[in-house]
Structures are given as structure tokens and as C-alpha cells.
Amino acid sequence: MSTERKPELLIPASSLEVLKTAVVFGADAVYIGGEAFGLRAKAKNFSMEDMKEGIAFAHAHGVKVYVTANILAHNRDLEGVRAYFEELKEIKPDALIIADPGVFMLAKEICPEIERHISTQANNTNYLTYQFWYQQGAKRVVSARELSMEELRELRAHIPDDLEIETFVHGAMCISYSGRCLLSNYFTGRDANQGACTHPCRWKYAVMEESRPGEYLPVYENERGTYIFNSKDLCMIEHIPELLESGIDSFKIEGRMKTALYVATVARTYRKAIDDCLQSRELYEKNLPWYKEQIAACTYREFTTGFFYGKPDESSQIYDNNTYQKGYTYLGIVGDVDAENYIHLEQRNKFSVGEMIEIMKPDGENLAVRVEAILNEEGEAMESAPHPQQKLRVRLSGKADACDILRRKEE
């Protein structure tokens, strides 16, 4: 199939390691947060040094990097934002993702050469809003998650061709309007709009009603309570053709708190699905079972298509648990491979000699291998590697390359 717009695949990264994984596994662009002024305060986030290295690595591979600065700023934040943008001006990310008009004005003043993208936090739900931001100098607007496919097509028809639309197509869904939620602030004093959300939507609740006769609130529960706010995760892997025809410029994956395994899996799967579909609809449909199998290997909370095909109903929520589905355990990323054919690895979860694991490669191959030997930093043989972030040398029965992911299938 053909389309006038080849969409960008935009992948999240929580750290320099994950950024490099996203680049190798198929991202066209990566979005990251610095140590301030983004909405993922609990993510590891990037120091200026890591940001500089990450941007250089991405640019060397033809991949763009966008930096989030999407807090809703208070007066006390503005001088810090100004200083932050002065620093970013020197390391040259490809765009800033901004929600607040005041922060937008500062970016336009201090680093006008860096593109400005309008965050989904700004509630971008109609084409006049898009036109407004275009007139202010925005290059791209991220659509609110509340928009349907029909509304997105209508948006494209009413905005300038060179104004880009970015839309979330996969990942966790916030239950509040465009992510503007006060639950966290109310319960814990940590403000979601300042980057400190504690995700109370995932907590267990029991609802009691004492005196509202005639008004019924259906609540589904098990013996532990009910998860009335707990949305399923968005997944549009089965709807790539419609997304390509909608006029969206950037397919955005949610997940700046996720592991390298999650990022590699989602990036690789959507990369292949998009490329296959651009080549031919038949090829995409032939490979659809593979995409679905791969994406189900991620850690996720069941799947929904969100608002793309109408307002979500009760089937879009998970009422009886807040548990992730988990297909694989992440073991680590392959570093160098030495002359003795040992891989160098900073291990993430326990594995043992004799165990069968998988090498996950960027080209789509998953290679089952046996762990033949594990050596610690002193070169001593180990039967297992129980401690996270140990630096190891590992010999496998199959060939691994730098940046491959090691994982173990969970039964």
C-alpha cells in the first residue's frame, strides 16, 4: 500500500541504555526527559552528559531526539526553565515537547532553532487549536488521546500540510482527561502535573454509597476490592493500515518508565508492521499473527483500542486486578563480544548455567540458546548470576551481537 506520509515511529527512553536500544531496534525518533521539567519525575531521566551522548548516538544513526519539558509551570519554575533551555540550546535536541504557553514562549525566545512540539497535556482536541499553535510557531501537535480515527482524519483536512500530527498508538492509558489528573495530589501530595504522579488509578478501591436511592453505580469486584480506574493498555498493532491512511505523521509509543526489553519489543514489532504495510497490505496481513505474538510478549495490562473507534466502554477497564501480563523476563543487553566469544553483560535478572534463554535481535529473529558459562568481573566461574547489575562475561551456545537483548520466556 502507499501513503503520501511515511510516519515516524517515536519510541520512549528512560535512560541512555534504553535510548540506544530504541535506536538499534527501529526507532525513527526517541523522546526523553531531562532531570527537570518533564512529567516523569520517577523515571531515571537523563543528565546533561547522558543527553549529549544519547543525541550524538541517535544522530549518528539518523534518529532524532525530542526532550520533554511539559510541566504546567508555576512562577517559581520559570527561571529554572530559562536556564534549562540555555543548556539544551548547546546540545541541540531535535525538538522540545511543551504543554505550557509560558514555557513555549521561553523556548521560542531562547532556542528558536529547536522545533517546538505541543504535548498531549495541552488538550489538543480540535483543528482550530492546531491552527493556533501553528501560528505561534509550533512544528507539531500531539493529539489528545480522546480523539477518534474520524476526528484525526478531519484534523488533517483542516490544518496546514507542514503542521505535523503525533498520536499515541501503544502503551498505558491515563484515566484522566489528557492526563490532567488530581488523584495523586489529593491522596499523596505529589502533583501529576509537576511530574510526580504516584498512579493511584492502579490502586485497589472499595466504593460505598450510603444514601443515594435510585442512583446506581455498577462496580465489578472480587474479594480484594475493585480497580475502577484501571484502564487496559492501548494497542493499535492490528490497525496499522487505518493509521497510515489517517494522515498522522508520528506514531508514538508510551512508556518512559519501561525497560529496554519492553522498548526493544515494541519498537521492533511496530517497525516491521509499518514497513510491511507500506510495502503491501497483503504482506502486513500475512505477518499479523507474528506482530500479535511479539507484542503479547511485552509486559502489559490486556489491550484496548482506546478512543480510536468510539468512546471506550466497560470492556476497556480492568475491574478485578492491577496485574501485568508478563511473557518474558529481561536479563540484559549484550555489550561487547570478546575474542574468546564471551559476551559482556550488565545483568538485570537472575539466570543460570545450563538454562535455555533467548537472544532477541533487531532484525526480528529470536534465537534460543543455552547458557554455557558465566564468569564474574574477576574471571571466576559462577553457576548463576543472582544479583542485578552484576557485570558478567557469558558464553552462549549461539551467536550474540552487541545491542542484542537477552530474555527468558516465562511459563
Side-chain angles (χ1 to χ4, degrees), residues 22-153:
V23 168
V24 170
F25 276 78
D28 295 308
V30 180
Y31 65 103
I32 65 176
E35 291 173 328
F37 309 118
L39 283 186
R40 284 292 180 268
K42 289 197 295 180
K44 294 173 191 171
N45 292 321
F46 283 70
S47 66
M48 278 294 167
E49 293 74 24
D50 281 354
M51 206 180 284
K52 190 179 298 184
E53 183 180 340
I55 290 170
F57 181 88
H59 286 177
H61 290 79
V63 172
K64 295 180 177 181
V65 178
Y66 309 144
V67 175
T68 60
N70 55 347
I71 65 161
L72 303 180
H74 289 247
N75 292 334
R76 63 180 179 271
D77 299 313
L78 294 178
E79 283 310 305
V81 170
R82 181 180 290 277
Y84 184 52
F85 286 170
E86 293 283 2
E87 288 187 274
L88 289 178
K89 183 181 178 71
E90 299 304 313
I91 63 170
K92 299 179 173 60
D94 297 279
L96 300 171
I97 304 173
I98 296 169
D100 186 286
V103 173
F104 185 94
M105 287 170 62
L106 284 175
K108 192 173 178 179
E109 172 198 331
I110 295 163
C111 42
E113 69 282 4
I114 301 175
E115 284 185 9
R116 294 170 297 283
H117 297 177
I118 306 305
S119 169
T120 191
Q121 298 292 126
N123 301 341
N124 309 303
T125 55
N126 66 76
Y127 56 76
L128 287 178
T129 295
Y130 275 65
Q131 290 174 17
F132 167 82
W133 282 116
Y134 181 75
Q135 288 166 14
Q136 306 311 307
K139 173 67 175 173
R140 177 183 296 185
V141 180
V142 186
S143 61
R145 299 199 192 196
E146 294 78 33
L147 297 187
S148 67
M149 196 76 79
E150 183 181 347
E151 287 176 293
L152 287 164
R153 285 193 289 264

Side-chain angles (χ1 to χ4, degrees), residues 38 133 230 299-300:
W133 282 116
N230 193 24
T299 303
Y300 68 99

Side-chain angles (χ1 to χ4, degrees), residues 7 30-32 62 69 136 232 245 257 259 320 325 361 380-381:
V30 180
Y31 65 103
I32 65 176
Q136 306 311 307
K232 294 181 181 179
E245 290 163 359
M257 307 281 279
T259 66
D320 59 357
Q325 310 291 323
K361 293 182 171 290
E380 300 164 335

